Each structure stands twice: as C-alpha cells, then as structure tokens.
Amino acid sequence: MLCVVYKSPKKAETYLFVERRDDFSRVPSPLLDTFGSPRLAMIINLATKTHLAQADLAKVRLALKTQGYYLQLPPPPENLLKQHRASQLDPSA
C-alpha cells in the first residue's frame, strides 16, 4: 500500500498522509485551509514498513482506508517545569 506524505508550510512538524499523489478529494476543506498548501515530503510503501517514526502504522493504514487521509500532528512540548517540580517532590525521580 503506497501512500504520499505532505508537509504543512503553516504548522511545524505536521504531516498529511493520503492514498494518491495530489489527491486531496477526501480531505476536509477546513483541514486543508489550516494545513496550508501541501508540500510533498515523501512517498512510502506501508506494506513494507513495520513501524513509522512518529505515528502508529496500524492507525495510519486504518485512517487511509476509512477516511482517505491521516493527519500526523507534532508531539506535545515537554513541560520541563512540571518535570522539575515532580523531581523536587520525589528525590528518587
């Protein structure tokens, strides 16, 4: 199963996976407006992959089959203050 991955010019570390190159017909218009003009990042064969760097391969495959796209958002930022406070309360952390 081939899929095409596009990078957002508006949102850092945000990627859109679709089934066919330049086919955004199943992607909602509001999502495309927010995403910006998609920039081709790569074409990957999901059939030969065992995992993806930042996305669950099974979820990507399922989303592509059911809704025609998968949106990969960046991981949430680390809360260093929260980590520091937790380490102050628990010296073993």
Side-chain angles (χ1 to χ4, degrees):
M1 166 186 229
L2 287 178
C3 87
V4 186
V5 183
Y6 292 89
K7 181 178 178 138
S8 171
K10 290 183 173 181
K11 305 284 184 182
E13 298 183 56
T14 302
Y15 296 90
L16 181 63
F17 293 62
V18 293
E19 297 173 292
R20 287 176 213 87
R21 188 172 184 162
D22 298 331
D23 181 3
F24 305 102
S25 60
R26 295 180 66 190
V27 181
S29 296
L31 173 59
L32 279 177
D33 292 342
T34 303
F35 190 82
S37 182
R39 295 188 180 156
L40 180 65
M42 68 184 85
I43 298 173
I44 56 177
N45 186 348
L46 296 179
T48 62
K49 296 290 182 185
T50 56
H51 70 281
L52 297 172
Q54 293 188 12
D56 182 315
L57 183 57
K59 288 181 182 178
V60 172
R61 287 179 178 154
L62 180 62
L64 286 172
K65 286 181 184 176
T66 59
Q67 63 187 23
Y69 71 94
Y70 175 82
L71 181 65
Q72 177 182 309
L73 298 172
E78 290 183 70
N79 187 335
L80 298 177
L81 180 57
K82 184 177 180 181
Q83 290 176 7
H84 174 72
R85 287 181 178 161
S87 70
Q88 296 301 307
L89 296 175
D90 183 8
S92 65

